[in-house]
Amino acid sequence: MTRNTTLMAMGALAAAAVLNMMATGTAMAQQVRNCGPRELVVNRLADRYGETRQSMGLGANNAVLEVFASDESGTWTVTVTSPEGMTCLIASGQAFEELVEALPAKGNDA
């Protein structure tokens, strides 16, 4: 490799590293903005979207996963709350439907 080619390659790697740090910083900043005290998050989901808790479960490290939805508008939000009470929005969308499906018969892969 010539000196110029090596310098260009090093410059490209440095630029890629900076872009990666910027993207990671942006993702981390967005994550921080999408989290808050549970009471505040639940109140906003109720006030802005009419969503109430539809289901919940216990996840890894005692985190609580909850699904909030509005029967009226069909909007839904999935949250995870840490044991310390910090709630983060994980996903949201529209066209929520409550389903209760029977388990398939034993021995049936479907």
Side-chain angles (χ1 to χ4, degrees):
M1 247 190 211
T2 67
R3 179 177 163 83
N4 286 341
T5 305
T6 302
L7 288 175
M8 285 175 40
M10 289 175 62
L13 286 173
V18 169
L19 288 173
N20 185 37
M21 286 189 297
M22 289 172 54
T24 303
T26 300
M28 290 172 70
Q30 285 179 330
Q31 186 176 22
V32 171
R33 283 195 306 255
N34 290 329
C35 297
R38 185 179 183 285
E39 184 178 349
L40 176 68
V41 172
V42 171
N43 287 339
R44 283 199 179 158
L45 291 174
D47 293 343
R48 290 188 182 177
Y49 304 102
E51 295 181 4
T52 59
R53 185 170 57 187
Q54 303 293 313
S55 61
M56 62 182 292
L58 190 60
N61 300 322
N62 293 321
V64 176
L65 178 119
E66 297 172 288
V67 176
F68 293 84
S70 168
D71 292 331
E72 196 170 299
S73 68
T75 62
W76 57 266
T77 304
V78 177
T79 66
V80 172
T81 303
S82 71
E84 296 78 31
M86 187 63 64
T87 298
C88 295
L89 303 179
I90 302 302
S92 62
Q94 298 178 0
F96 179 81
E97 291 183 41
E98 185 176 336
L99 301 175
V100 179
E101 296 180 344
L103 291 173
K106 290 191 180 214
N108 185 355
D109 290 346

